[in-house]
Coordinates of all heavy atoms in Angstrom, one line a residue:
A1 N 39.5 23.7 -50.1 CA 39.0 22.4 -49.7 C 39.5 22.0 -48.3 O 38.8 21.4 -47.5 CB 39.4 21.3 -50.7
A2 N 40.8 22.4 -48.0 CA 41.3 22.1 -46.7 C 40.6 22.8 -45.6 O 40.4 22.3 -44.5 CB 42.8 22.4 -46.6
V3 N 40.3 24.1 -45.9 CA 39.6 24.9 -44.9 C 38.2 24.3 -44.6 O 37.7 24.2 -43.5 CB 39.5 26.4 -45.3 CG1 38.6 27.2 -44.4 CG2 40.9 27.0 -45.5
V4 N 37.5 23.9 -45.6 CA 36.1 23.3 -45.5 C 36.2 22.0 -44.7 O 35.4 21.8 -43.8 CB 35.5 23.1 -46.9 CG1 34.2 22.3 -46.7 CG2 35.3 24.4 -47.6
C5 N 37.2 21.3 -45.0 CA 37.4 20.0 -44.2 C 37.7 20.3 -42.8 O 37.2 19.6 -41.9 CB 38.6 19.2 -44.9 SG 38.8 17.6 -44.2
A6 N 38.6 21.3 -42.5 CA 38.9 21.6 -41.1 C 37.6 22.1 -40.4 O 37.4 21.8 -39.2 CB 40.0 22.7 -41.1
I7 N 36.8 22.9 -41.0 CA 35.6 23.4 -40.4 C 34.6 22.3 -40.1 O 33.9 22.3 -39.1 CB 35.0 24.5 -41.3 CG1 35.9 25.8 -41.4 CG2 33.6 24.9 -40.9 CD1 35.4 26.8 -42.3
A8 N 34.6 21.3 -41.0 CA 33.7 20.2 -40.8 C 34.1 19.2 -39.7 O 33.4 18.7 -38.9 CB 33.5 19.5 -42.1
I9 N 35.4 18.9 -39.7 CA 36.0 17.9 -38.8 C 36.4 18.5 -37.5 O 36.3 17.8 -36.4 CB 37.2 17.2 -39.5 CG1 36.7 16.4 -40.7 CG2 37.9 16.3 -38.5 CD1 37.8 15.8 -41.4
G10 N 36.7 19.8 -37.4 CA 37.1 20.4 -36.2 C 36.1 20.3 -35.0 O 36.5 19.8 -33.9
P11 N 34.8 20.6 -35.2 CA 33.9 20.5 -34.1 C 33.7 19.0 -33.7 O 33.5 18.8 -32.5 CB 32.6 21.0 -34.7 CG 33.0 21.9 -35.8 CD 34.3 21.3 -36.4
I12 N 33.8 18.1 -34.6 CA 33.7 16.7 -34.2 C 34.8 16.3 -33.3 O 34.6 15.6 -32.3 CB 33.6 15.8 -35.5 CG1 32.3 16.1 -36.3 CG2 33.6 14.3 -35.1 CD1 32.2 15.5 -37.6
C13 N 36.0 16.7 -33.7 CA 37.2 16.3 -32.9 C 37.1 17.0 -31.5 O 37.5 16.4 -30.5 CB 38.5 16.7 -33.6 SG 38.8 15.7 -35.1
Y14 N 36.6 18.2 -31.5 CA 36.5 18.9 -30.2 C 35.5 18.2 -29.3 O 35.8 18.0 -28.1 CB 36.0 20.4 -30.4 CG 35.8 21.1 -29.1 CD1 36.8 21.5 -28.3 CD2 34.5 21.2 -28.7 CE1 36.6 22.2 -27.1 CE2 34.2 21.9 -27.5 CZ 35.3 22.3 -26.7 OH 35.0 22.9 -25.5
V15 N 34.4 17.8 -29.8 CA 33.4 17.0 -29.0 C 34.0 15.7 -28.5 O 33.9 15.4 -27.3 CB 32.1 16.8 -29.8 CG1 31.2 15.8 -29.0 CG2 31.4 18.1 -30.0
L16 N 34.7 15.0 -29.4 CA 35.3 13.8 -29.0 C 36.4 14.0 -27.9 O 36.5 13.3 -26.9 CB 36.0 13.1 -30.2 CG 35.0 12.5 -31.2 CD1 35.8 12.0 -32.4 CD2 34.2 11.3 -30.6
W17 N 37.2 15.0 -28.0 CA 38.2 15.4 -27.0 C 37.5 15.7 -25.7 O 37.9 15.3 -24.7 CB 39.1 16.5 -27.5 CG 40.0 17.1 -26.5 CD1 41.1 16.5 -26.0 CD2 39.8 18.2 -25.7 NE1 41.7 17.3 -25.0 CE2 40.8 18.4 -24.8 CE3 38.8 19.2 -25.7 CZ2 41.0 19.4 -23.9 CZ3 38.9 20.3 -24.8 CH2 40.0 20.4 -23.9
K18 N 36.4 16.5 -25.8 CA 35.8 17.0 -24.6 C 35.2 15.8 -23.8 O 35.2 15.8 -22.6 CB 34.6 17.9 -25.0 CG 34.1 18.7 -23.8 CD 35.1 19.8 -23.4 CE 34.4 20.7 -22.4 NZ 35.4 21.4 -21.6
F19 N 34.7 14.8 -24.5 CA 34.2 13.6 -23.8 C 35.2 12.5 -23.5 O 34.9 11.4 -23.1 CB 33.0 13.0 -24.6 CG 31.8 13.8 -24.5 CD1 31.4 14.6 -25.5 CD2 31.0 13.7 -23.4 CE1 30.2 15.4 -25.5 CE2 29.8 14.4 -23.3 CZ 29.4 15.3 -24.3
G20 N 36.5 12.8 -23.7 CA 37.6 12.0 -23.3 C 38.0 10.9 -24.3 O 38.6 9.9 -23.9
A21 N 37.6 11.0 -25.5 CA 37.9 10.0 -26.5 C 39.4 9.8 -26.8 O 39.9 8.8 -27.1 CB 37.2 10.3 -27.9
F22 N 40.2 10.9 -26.5 CA 41.6 10.9 -26.7 C 42.4 10.8 -25.4 O 43.6 10.9 -25.4 CB 42.0 12.1 -27.5 CG 41.3 12.2 -28.8 CD1 40.5 13.3 -29.0 CD2 41.5 11.3 -29.8 CE1 39.8 13.5 -30.2 CE2 40.8 11.4 -31.0 CZ 39.9 12.5 -31.2
A23 N 41.7 10.6 -24.3 CA 42.3 10.5 -23.0 C 43.1 9.2 -22.8 O 42.8 8.2 -23.4 CB 41.3 10.6 -21.9
K24 N 44.1 9.2 -22.0 CA 44.9 8.0 -21.8 C 44.1 7.1 -20.8 O 43.6 7.6 -19.8 CB 46.3 8.4 -21.1 CG 47.1 7.2 -20.8 CD 48.4 7.6 -20.2 CE 49.3 6.4 -19.9 NZ 50.5 6.8 -19.2
L25 N 44.0 5.9 -21.2 CA 43.3 4.9 -20.4 C 44.2 4.2 -19.5 O 45.3 3.6 -19.9 CB 42.6 3.9 -21.3 CG 41.8 2.8 -20.7 CD1 40.7 3.3 -19.8 CD2 41.3 1.8 -21.7
T26 N 43.9 4.1 -18.2 CA 44.7 3.4 -17.2 C 43.9 2.3 -16.7 O 42.8 2.4 -16.2 CB 45.1 4.4 -16.1 OG1 45.8 5.5 -16.6 CG2 46.0 3.7 -15.1
V27 N 44.5 1.1 -16.8 CA 43.9 -0.1 -16.3 C 44.7 -0.6 -15.1 O 45.9 -0.7 -15.1 CB 43.8 -1.2 -17.4 CG1 43.2 -2.5 -16.8 CG2 43.1 -0.7 -18.6
E28 N 43.9 -0.9 -14.0 CA 44.6 -1.3 -12.8 C 43.9 -2.6 -12.4 O 42.7 -2.7 -12.3 CB 44.4 -0.3 -11.7 CG 45.0 -0.6 -10.4 CD 44.8 0.5 -9.3 OE1 44.5 1.6 -9.7 OE2 45.0 0.2 -8.2
E29 N 44.7 -3.6 -12.1 CA 44.2 -4.9 -11.6 C 44.4 -4.9 -10.1 O 45.4 -4.7 -9.6 CB 45.0 -6.1 -12.2 CG 44.5 -7.4 -11.8 CD 45.2 -8.5 -12.5 OE1 45.8 -8.3 -13.6 OE2 45.2 -9.6 -12.0
I30 N 43.3 -5.2 -9.4 CA 43.3 -5.4 -8.0 C 42.7 -6.7 -7.6 O 42.0 -7.3 -8.3 CB 42.5 -4.2 -7.3 CG1 41.1 -4.2 -7.7 CG2 43.2 -2.9 -7.6 CD1 40.2 -3.3 -6.9
S31 N 43.1 -7.1 -6.4 CA 42.5 -8.4 -5.9 C 41.7 -8.1 -4.7 O 42.1 -7.4 -3.8 CB 43.7 -9.3 -5.5 OG 43.2 -10.5 -5.0
I32 N 40.4 -8.6 -4.7 CA 39.5 -8.5 -3.6 C 38.9 -9.9 -3.3 O 39.0 -10.8 -4.1 CB 38.4 -7.5 -3.9 CG1 37.6 -7.9 -5.1 CG2 39.0 -6.1 -4.0 CD1 36.4 -7.0 -5.4
G33 N 38.3 -10.0 -2.2 CA 37.6 -11.2 -1.9 C 38.5 -12.1 -1.0 O 39.4 -11.6 -0.3
P34 N 38.2 -13.3 -0.8 CA 37.2 -14.1 -1.6 C 35.8 -13.8 -1.0 O 35.6 -13.4 0.1 CB 37.6 -15.5 -1.3 CG 38.2 -15.5 0.1 CD 38.9 -14.1 0.1
Y35 N 34.8 -14.0 -1.9 CA 33.4 -13.8 -1.5 C 32.7 -15.1 -1.7 O 33.0 -15.9 -2.6 CB 32.8 -12.8 -2.4 CG 33.3 -11.4 -2.2 CD1 34.2 -10.8 -3.1 CD2 32.9 -10.7 -1.1 CE1 34.7 -9.5 -2.9 CE2 33.4 -9.4 -0.9 CZ 34.3 -8.8 -1.8 OH 34.8 -7.6 -1.5
A36 N 31.7 -15.4 -0.9 CA 30.8 -16.5 -1.1 C 29.6 -16.0 -1.9 O 29.0 -15.0 -1.5 CB 30.4 -17.1 0.2
L37 N 29.3 -16.6 -3.0 CA 28.1 -16.2 -3.8 C 27.1 -17.2 -3.8 O 27.3 -18.4 -3.9 CB 28.6 -15.9 -5.3 CG 29.5 -14.7 -5.5 CD1 29.9 -14.7 -7.0 CD2 28.9 -13.4 -5.0
L38 N 25.8 -16.8 -3.8 CA 24.7 -17.6 -4.0 C 24.2 -17.2 -5.3 O 23.9 -16.0 -5.6 CB 23.6 -17.3 -2.9 CG 22.2 -17.9 -3.1 CD1 22.2 -19.4 -3.0 CD2 21.2 -17.3 -2.1
Y39 N 24.0 -18.2 -6.3 CA 23.6 -17.8 -7.6 C 22.4 -18.7 -8.0 O 22.2 -19.8 -7.6 CB 24.7 -17.8 -8.6 CG 25.1 -19.2 -9.1 CD1 24.5 -19.8 -10.2 CD2 26.1 -19.8 -8.4 CE1 25.0 -21.0 -10.6 CE2 26.5 -21.1 -8.8 CZ 26.0 -21.7 -9.9 OH 26.4 -22.9 -10.3
L40 N 21.6 -18.1 -8.9 CA 20.4 -18.7 -9.3 C 20.3 -18.7 -10.9 O 20.6 -17.6 -11.4 CB 19.1 -18.0 -8.8 CG 19.0 -17.9 -7.3 CD1 17.9 -16.9 -6.9 CD2 18.7 -19.3 -6.7
N41 N 20.1 -19.8 -11.5 CA 19.8 -19.8 -13.0 C 18.4 -19.5 -13.2 O 17.5 -20.2 -12.6 CB 20.2 -21.1 -13.6 CG 21.6 -21.4 -13.6 OD1 22.4 -20.6 -14.1 ND2 22.0 -22.5 -13.0
I42 N 18.0 -18.5 -14.0 CA 16.7 -18.1 -14.2 C 16.4 -18.1 -15.7 O 17.2 -17.6 -16.5 CB 16.3 -16.8 -13.6 CG1 16.5 -16.9 -12.0 CG2 14.9 -16.3 -13.9 CD1 16.2 -15.6 -11.3
K43 N 15.3 -18.6 -16.1 CA 14.8 -18.6 -17.5 C 13.5 -17.9 -17.6 O 12.6 -18.3 -16.8 CB 14.7 -20.1 -18.0 CG 14.5 -20.2 -19.5 CD 14.6 -21.6 -19.9 CE 14.5 -21.8 -21.4 NZ 14.6 -23.2 -21.8
G44 N 13.4 -16.9 -18.4 CA 12.2 -16.1 -18.5 C 12.5 -14.7 -18.8 O 13.6 -14.3 -19.0
P45 N 11.4 -13.9 -18.9 CA 11.6 -12.5 -19.3 C 12.5 -11.7 -18.3 O 12.5 -11.9 -17.1 CB 10.2 -11.9 -19.1 CG 9.3 -13.1 -19.2 CD 10.0 -14.2 -18.6
Y46 N 13.4 -10.9 -18.9 CA 14.4 -10.2 -18.1 C 13.8 -9.2 -17.1 O 14.4 -9.0 -16.1 CB 15.4 -9.5 -19.0 CG 16.4 -10.5 -19.7 CD1 17.0 -10.1 -20.9 CD2 16.7 -11.7 -19.2 CE1 17.9 -10.9 -21.6 CE2 17.6 -12.5 -19.9 CZ 18.2 -12.2 -21.0 OH 19.0 -13.0 -21.7
N47 N 12.7 -8.7 -17.4 CA 12.1 -7.7 -16.5 C 11.5 -8.4 -15.3 O 11.2 -7.7 -14.3 CB 11.0 -6.9 -17.2 CG 9.8 -7.8 -17.6 OD1 10.0 -8.9 -17.9 ND2 8.6 -7.2 -17.7
E48 N 11.5 -9.7 -15.2 CA 11.0 -10.5 -14.1 C 12.2 -11.1 -13.3 O 11.9 -11.8 -12.3 CB 10.0 -11.5 -14.5 CG 8.8 -11.0 -15.1 CD 7.8 -12.1 -15.6 OE1 8.1 -13.3 -15.4 OE2 6.8 -11.7 -16.3
V49 N 13.4 -11.0 -13.8 CA 14.5 -11.7 -13.2 C 14.7 -11.3 -11.7 O 14.8 -12.2 -10.8 CB 15.8 -11.4 -14.0 CG1 17.0 -11.9 -13.2 CG2 15.7 -12.1 -15.3
V50 N 14.8 -10.1 -11.4 CA 15.1 -9.7 -10.0 C 14.0 -10.0 -9.0 O 14.2 -10.6 -8.0 CB 15.5 -8.2 -9.9 CG1 15.6 -7.7 -8.5 CG2 16.8 -7.9 -10.6
P51 N 12.7 -9.7 -9.4 CA 11.6 -10.1 -8.4 C 11.6 -11.6 -8.2 O 11.4 -12.1 -7.1 CB 10.4 -9.6 -9.1 CG 10.8 -8.5 -10.0 CD 12.2 -8.9 -10.5
R52 N 11.8 -12.4 -9.3 CA 11.8 -13.9 -9.2 C 12.9 -14.4 -8.3 O 12.8 -15.2 -7.4 CB 11.8 -14.5 -10.5 CG 10.5 -14.4 -11.3 CD 10.6 -15.0 -12.7 NE 10.9 -16.4 -12.6 CZ 11.3 -17.1 -13.7 NH1 11.4 -16.6 -14.9 NH2 11.6 -18.4 -13.6
A53 N 14.1 -13.8 -8.5 CA 15.3 -14.2 -7.7 C 15.1 -13.8 -6.3 O 15.4 -14.6 -5.4 CB 16.5 -13.5 -8.3
M54 N 14.5 -12.6 -6.0 CA 14.3 -12.2 -4.6 C 13.3 -13.2 -3.9 O 13.5 -13.5 -2.7 CB 13.8 -10.8 -4.5 CG 14.8 -9.7 -4.8 SD 16.3 -9.9 -3.7 CE 15.7 -9.8 -2.1
R55 N 12.3 -13.6 -4.6 CA 11.3 -14.6 -4.0 C 12.1 -15.9 -3.7 O 11.9 -16.5 -2.6 CB 10.2 -14.8 -4.9 CG 9.1 -13.7 -4.9 CD 7.8 -14.2 -5.6 NE 8.0 -14.5 -7.0 CZ 8.0 -13.7 -8.0 NH1 7.8 -12.4 -7.8 NH2 8.1 -14.1 -9.3
K56 N 12.9 -16.4 -4.6 CA 13.7 -17.6 -4.4 C 14.6 -17.5 -3.2 O 14.8 -18.3 -2.4 CB 14.4 -18.1 -5.6 CG 13.5 -18.6 -6.7 CD 14.3 -19.1 -7.9 CE 13.4 -19.7 -8.9 NZ 14.1 -20.4 -10.0
V57 N 15.3 -16.3 -3.1 CA 16.3 -16.1 -2.0 C 15.5 -16.0 -0.7 O 15.9 -16.6 0.3 CB 17.1 -14.8 -2.2 CG1 17.8 -14.4 -1.0 CG2 18.0 -14.9 -3.4
K58 N 14.4 -15.4 -0.7 CA 13.5 -15.3 0.5 C 13.1 -16.7 0.9 O 13.2 -17.1 2.1 CB 12.3 -14.5 0.2 CG 11.4 -14.3 1.5 CD 10.3 -13.4 1.2 CE 9.4 -13.2 2.4 NZ 8.2 -12.4 2.2
D59 N 12.7 -17.5 0.0 CA 12.3 -18.9 0.3 C 13.4 -19.8 0.8 O 13.3 -20.6 1.7 CB 11.7 -19.6 -0.9 CG 10.3 -19.0 -1.3 OD1 9.8 -18.2 -0.5 OD2 9.9 -19.2 -2.4
M60 N 14.7 -19.6 0.2 CA 15.8 -20.4 0.6 C 16.6 -19.9 1.8 O 17.0 -20.7 2.6 CB 16.7 -20.5 -0.6 CG 16.1 -21.3 -1.7 SD 17.2 -21.6 -3.2 CE 18.3 -20.2 -3.2
V61 N 16.8 -18.6 1.9 CA 17.7 -18.1 2.9 C 17.1 -17.4 4.0 O 17.6 -17.4 5.1 CB 18.7 -17.1 2.2 CG1 19.7 -16.5 3.1 CG2 19.5 -17.8 1.1
V62 N 16.0 -16.8 3.8 CA 15.4 -15.9 4.8 C 14.8 -16.7 6.0 O 14.4 -16.1 7.0 CB 14.3 -15.0 4.1 CG1 13.6 -14.1 5.2 CG2 14.9 -14.2 3.1
K63 N 14.8 -18.0 5.9 CA 14.4 -18.8 7.0 C 15.3 -18.5 8.2 O 14.9 -18.8 9.4 CB 14.4 -20.3 6.6 CG 13.4 -20.6 5.6 CD 13.5 -22.0 5.1 CE 12.5 -22.2 3.9 NZ 12.7 -23.5 3.3
D64 N 16.5 -18.0 8.0 CA 17.4 -17.6 9.1 C 16.8 -16.4 9.8 O 16.7 -15.4 9.2 CB 18.8 -17.3 8.5 CG 19.8 -16.9 9.5 OD1 19.4 -16.8 10.7 OD2 21.0 -16.7 9.2
A65 N 16.5 -16.5 11.0 CA 15.9 -15.4 11.8 C 16.7 -14.2 11.9 O 16.2 -13.1 12.1 CB 15.5 -15.9 13.2
S66 N 18.0 -14.3 11.7 CA 18.9 -13.1 11.8 C 18.9 -12.3 10.5 O 19.4 -11.2 10.5 CB 20.3 -13.5 12.1 OG 20.9 -14.2 11.0
F67 N 18.2 -12.8 9.5 CA 18.1 -12.1 8.2 C 16.8 -11.4 8.1 O 15.8 -12.1 8.0 CB 18.4 -13.0 7.0 CG 18.4 -12.3 5.7 CD1 19.6 -11.9 5.2 CD2 17.3 -12.2 4.9 CE1 19.7 -11.2 4.0 CE2 17.3 -11.6 3.7 CZ 18.5 -11.1 3.2
E68 N 16.7 -10.1 8.1 CA 15.5 -9.4 8.1 C 15.3 -9.0 6.6 O 15.8 -8.0 6.1 CB 15.5 -8.1 9.0 CG 15.7 -8.5 10.4 CD 15.9 -7.3 11.3 OE1 15.7 -6.1 10.8 OE2 16.2 -7.4 12.4
H69 N 14.5 -9.8 5.9 CA 14.4 -9.6 4.4 C 13.9 -8.3 4.0 O 14.4 -7.6 3.1 CB 13.4 -10.7 3.9 CG 13.1 -10.6 2.4 ND1 14.1 -10.8 1.5 CD2 12.0 -10.2 1.8 CE1 13.5 -10.6 0.3 NE2 12.3 -10.2 0.5
E70 N 12.8 -7.8 4.6 CA 12.3 -6.5 4.2 C 13.3 -5.4 4.3 O 13.3 -4.5 3.4 CB 11.0 -6.2 5.0 CG 9.9 -7.2 4.8 CD 9.5 -7.4 3.4 OE1 9.4 -6.4 2.6 OE2 9.2 -8.6 3.0
S71 N 14.1 -5.3 5.3 CA 15.0 -4.2 5.4 C 16.3 -4.5 4.7 O 17.1 -3.6 4.4 CB 15.4 -4.0 6.9 OG 16.0 -5.1 7.5
Q72 N 16.6 -5.7 4.3 CA 17.9 -6.1 3.7 C 17.9 -6.2 2.2 O 18.9 -6.1 1.6 CB 18.5 -7.4 4.3 CG 18.8 -7.3 5.8 CD 19.9 -6.4 6.1 OE1 20.9 -6.3 5.3 NE2 19.9 -5.7 7.2
E73 N 16.7 -6.4 1.6 CA 16.7 -6.8 0.2 C 17.3 -5.7 -0.7 O 17.9 -6.0 -1.7 CB 15.3 -7.2 -0.3 CG 14.4 -6.1 -0.5 CD 13.0 -6.5 -1.0 OE1 12.5 -7.5 -0.5 OE2 12.6 -6.0 -2.0
N74 N 17.1 -4.5 -0.3 CA 17.7 -3.4 -1.2 C 19.1 -3.1 -0.9 O 19.8 -2.3 -1.6 CB 16.9 -2.1 -1.0 CG 15.5 -2.2 -1.5 OD1 15.2 -2.9 -2.5 ND2 14.5 -1.6 -0.8
K75 N 19.7 -3.8 0.1 CA 21.1 -3.6 0.5 C 22.0 -4.8 0.0 O 23.2 -4.8 0.2 CB 21.2 -3.5 2.0 CG 20.5 -2.3 2.5 CD 20.6 -2.3 4.0 CE 19.8 -1.2 4.6 NZ 19.8 -1.2 6.1
M76 N 21.4 -5.8 -0.7 CA 22.2 -7.0 -1.1 C 23.0 -6.6 -2.3 O 22.5 -6.0 -3.2 CB 21.2 -8.1 -1.4 CG 20.5 -8.6 -0.2 SD 19.3 -9.9 -0.6 CE 20.4 -11.3 -0.9
D77 N 24.3 -7.0 -2.3 CA 25.1 -6.9 -3.4 C 24.8 -7.9 -4.4 O 24.7 -9.1 -4.1 CB 26.6 -7.0 -3.0 CG 27.1 -5.9 -2.2 OD1 26.6 -4.7 -2.3 OD2 28.0 -6.1 -1.3
T78 N 24.5 -7.5 -5.7 CA 24.0 -8.5 -6.7 C 24.8 -8.3 -7.9 O 25.5 -7.3 -8.2 CB 22.5 -8.2 -7.0 OG1 22.4 -6.9 -7.6 CG2 21.6 -8.4 -5.9
L79 N 24.8 -9.4 -8.7 CA 25.4 -9.4 -10.0 C 24.5 -10.2 -11.0 O 23.9 -11.2 -10.6 CB 26.8 -10.2 -9.9 CG 27.4 -10.7 -11.2 CD1 28.0 -9.4 -11.9 CD2 28.5 -11.7 -11.0
G80 N 24.3 -9.6 -12.1 CA 23.4 -10.3 -13.1 C 24.2 -10.5 -14.4 O 25.0 -9.7 -14.9
I81 N 24.0 -11.7 -15.0 CA 24.5 -12.1 -16.3 C 23.4 -12.5 -17.2 O 22.6 -13.4 -16.8 CB 25.5 -13.2 -16.1 CG1 26.7 -12.9 -15.2 CG2 26.1 -13.6 -17.5 CD1 27.6 -14.0 -14.9
Y82 N 23.2 -11.8 -18.3 CA 22.1 -12.0 -19.2 C 22.7 -12.6 -20.5 O 23.6 -12.0 -21.1 CB 21.4 -10.7 -19.5 CG 20.8 -10.2 -18.2 CD1 21.5 -9.3 -17.4 CD2 19.6 -10.6 -17.7 CE1 21.0 -8.8 -16.2 CE2 19.0 -10.1 -16.6 CZ 19.8 -9.2 -15.8 OH 19.3 -8.7 -14.6
F83 N 22.3 -13.8 -20.9 CA 22.9 -14.5 -22.0 C 22.3 -14.2 -23.4 O 22.9 -14.4 -24.4 CB 22.8 -16.0 -21.7 CG 23.7 -16.4 -20.5 CD1 23.1 -16.7 -19.3 CD2 25.0 -16.5 -20.6 CE1 23.8 -17.1 -18.2 CE2 25.8 -16.9 -19.5 CZ 25.2 -17.2 -18.3
D84 N 21.0 -14.0 -23.4 CA 20.3 -13.9 -24.7 C 19.9 -12.5 -25.0 O 19.6 -11.7 -24.1 CB 19.1 -14.8 -24.7 CG 19.4 -16.2 -24.4 OD1 20.2 -16.8 -25.2 OD2 19.0 -16.8 -23.4
D85 N 19.8 -12.2 -26.3 CA 19.3 -10.9 -26.8 C 17.8 -10.9 -26.7 O 17.2 -11.7 -27.5 CB 19.8 -10.6 -28.2 CG 19.4 -9.3 -28.7 OD1 18.5 -8.6 -28.1 OD2 19.9 -8.8 -29.8
P86 N 17.1 -10.1 -25.9 CA 15.7 -10.2 -25.8 C 15.0 -9.8 -27.1 O 13.8 -10.0 -27.2 CB 15.3 -9.3 -24.6 CG 16.5 -8.4 -24.5 CD 17.7 -9.1 -25.0
N87 N 15.7 -9.1 -28.0 CA 15.1 -8.7 -29.3 C 15.1 -9.9 -30.3 O 14.4 -9.8 -31.3 CB 15.8 -7.5 -29.8 CG 15.7 -6.3 -29.0 OD1 14.6 -6.0 -28.5 ND2 16.8 -5.6 -28.8
V88 N 15.9 -10.9 -29.9 CA 16.0 -12.0 -30.8 C 15.3 -13.3 -30.2 O 14.5 -13.9 -30.9 CB 17.4 -12.4 -31.2 CG1 17.6 -13.6 -32.0 CG2 18.1 -11.2 -31.8
A89 N 15.6 -13.6 -29.0 CA 15.0 -14.7 -28.3 C 13.6 -14.5 -27.8 O 13.3 -13.3 -27.5 CB 15.9 -15.2 -27.2
E90 N 12.8 -15.5 -27.7 CA 11.5 -15.4 -27.1 C 11.7 -15.1 -25.6 O 12.6 -15.6 -25.0 CB 10.7 -16.7 -27.2 CG 10.3 -17.1 -28.6 CD 9.3 -16.1 -29.2 OE1 8.4 -15.6 -28.4 OE2 9.3 -15.9 -30.4
A91 N 10.8 -14.2 -25.0 CA 11.0 -13.8 -23.6 C 11.1 -15.0 -22.7 O 11.9 -15.0 -21.8 CB 9.8 -12.9 -23.3
E92 N 10.3 -16.0 -22.9 CA 10.3 -17.2 -22.0 C 11.5 -18.0 -22.1 O 11.8 -18.8 -21.2 CB 9.0 -18.0 -22.2 CG 7.7 -17.3 -21.8 CD 7.7 -16.9 -20.4 OE1 8.2 -17.6 -19.5 OE2 7.1 -15.8 -20.1
E93 N 12.3 -17.8 -23.2 CA 13.5 -18.6 -23.4 C 14.8 -17.8 -23.0 O 15.9 -18.4 -23.1 CB 13.6 -19.0 -24.9 CG 12.5 -19.9 -25.3 CD 12.4 -21.2 -24.6 OE1 13.5 -21.8 -24.4 OE2 11.3 -21.5 -24.2
C94 N 14.7 -16.6 -22.5 CA 15.9 -15.8 -22.1 C 16.5 -16.4 -20.9 O 15.8 -16.6 -19.9 CB 15.5 -14.3 -21.9 SG 15.1 -13.5 -23.5
R95 N 17.8 -16.6 -20.9 CA 18.5 -17.2 -19.8 C 19.3 -16.1 -19.1 O 19.9 -15.3 -19.7 CB 19.4 -18.3 -20.3 CG 18.7 -19.4 -21.0 CD 19.6 -20.2 -21.8 NE 20.3 -19.4 -22.9 CZ 21.5 -19.5 -23.3 NH1 22.3 -20.5 -22.8 NH2 22.0 -18.7 -24.2
S96 N 19.4 -16.3 -17.7 CA 20.2 -15.3 -16.9 C 20.6 -16.0 -15.7 O 20.1 -17.1 -15.3 CB 19.4 -14.1 -16.6 OG 18.2 -14.4 -15.9
I97 N 21.6 -15.4 -15.0 CA 22.1 -15.8 -13.7 C 22.0 -14.6 -12.8 O 22.5 -13.5 -13.2 CB 23.5 -16.4 -13.8 CG1 23.6 -17.7 -14.5 CG2 24.1 -16.5 -12.4 CD1 25.0 -18.2 -14.7
V98 N 21.5 -14.7 -11.7 CA 21.5 -13.7 -10.7 C 22.3 -14.2 -9.5 O 22.1 -15.3 -9.0 CB 20.1 -13.2 -10.2 CG1 20.2 -12.2 -9.1 CG2 19.3 -12.7 -11.4
A99 N 23.3 -13.4 -9.1 CA 24.2 -13.9 -7.9 C 24.1 -12.8 -6.8 O 24.0 -11.6 -7.1 CB 25.6 -14.0 -8.4
Y100 N 24.1 -13.3 -5.6 CA 24.1 -12.5 -4.4 C 25.3 -12.8 -3.6 O 25.7 -13.9 -3.4 CB 22.9 -12.8 -3.5 CG 21.6 -12.5 -4.2 CD1 20.9 -13.5 -4.9 CD2 21.1 -11.2 -4.3 CE1 19.7 -13.2 -5.6 CE2 19.9 -10.9 -4.9 CZ 19.2 -11.9 -5.6 OH 18.1 -11.6 -6.3
C101 N 25.9 -11.7 -3.0 CA 27.1 -11.9 -2.1 C 26.5 -12.4 -0.8 O 25.7 -11.7 -0.2 CB 27.8 -10.6 -2.0 SG 29.3 -10.7 -1.0
A102 N 27.0 -13.5 -0.3 CA 26.4 -14.1 0.9 C 27.2 -13.8 2.1 O 27.0 -14.2 3.2 CB 26.4 -15.7 0.7
D103 N 28.3 -12.9 1.9 CA 29.1 -12.5 3.1 C 28.4 -11.5 3.9 O 27.7 -10.7 3.5 CB 30.4 -12.0 2.7 CG 31.3 -13.2 2.1 OD1 31.0 -14.3 2.5 OD2 32.2 -12.9 1.4

C-alpha cells in the first residue's frame, strides 16, 4: 500500500516542486513615488472600461497641446480596479476605477 501511495503521490509532488510550490517566498517592501493619479469611476461592461476611460481622458486632458494623444495613449501607466463579478452582476451595473499616472 505504501508503494502504491508513493507512486500516486510522487509525480504530483514533483510537479508541484517543479513549479515552485515549495520554494521560499521572499517579500520585499519598497517605497516609490509620490505619483499624481488621475482616476475615473466607470460603471458599465468591463470590456468597455479602457476605451471609455481613454475617451474621457482625451476630452479632459488632451486639450493640452503638449500631449500628443495618438502617440501617447499606449504608453500611459494605468491601474484598474474592478469591484463586481461580471458573472453575477449585470454588465451595466459593473463598477470599476481606472487610474492614470499623471507624472
Side-chain angles (χ1 to χ4, degrees):
V3 173
V4 173
C5 187
I7 290 172
I9 295 176
I12 295 170
C13 289
Y14 174 76
V15 170
L16 289 172
W17 171 77
K18 195 71 173 162
F19 284 101
F22 304 115
K24 182 179 178 184
L25 177 63
T26 304
V27 178
E28 181 180 344
E29 182 178 337
I30 61 171
S31 179
I32 58 173
Y35 293 103
L37 295 177
L38 166 69
Y39 73 93
L40 304 165
N41 290 305
I42 297 181
K43 191 173 184 181
Y46 288 155
N47 64 332
E48 297 176 7
V49 167
V50 173
R52 287 177 60 191
M54 285 307 301
R55 283 194 299 275
K56 286 185 179 185
V57 168
K58 182 178 180 183
D59 291 344
M60 293 183 331
V61 178
V62 179
K63 294 174 185 172
D64 179 355
S66 66
F67 185 88
E68 299 173 11
H69 175 67
E70 297 303 322
S71 63
Q72 295 294 324
E73 78 177 47
N74 294 326
K75 298 176 185 176
M76 294 177 74
D77 292 329
T78 60
L79 167 72
I81 302 172
Y82 301 90
F83 295 103
D84 301 299
D85 180 349
N87 296 318
V88 176
E90 294 291 328
E92 294 301 324
E93 298 300 315
C94 289
R95 300 163 297 145
S96 60
I97 292 175
V98 177
Y100 296 95
C101 184
D103 289 338

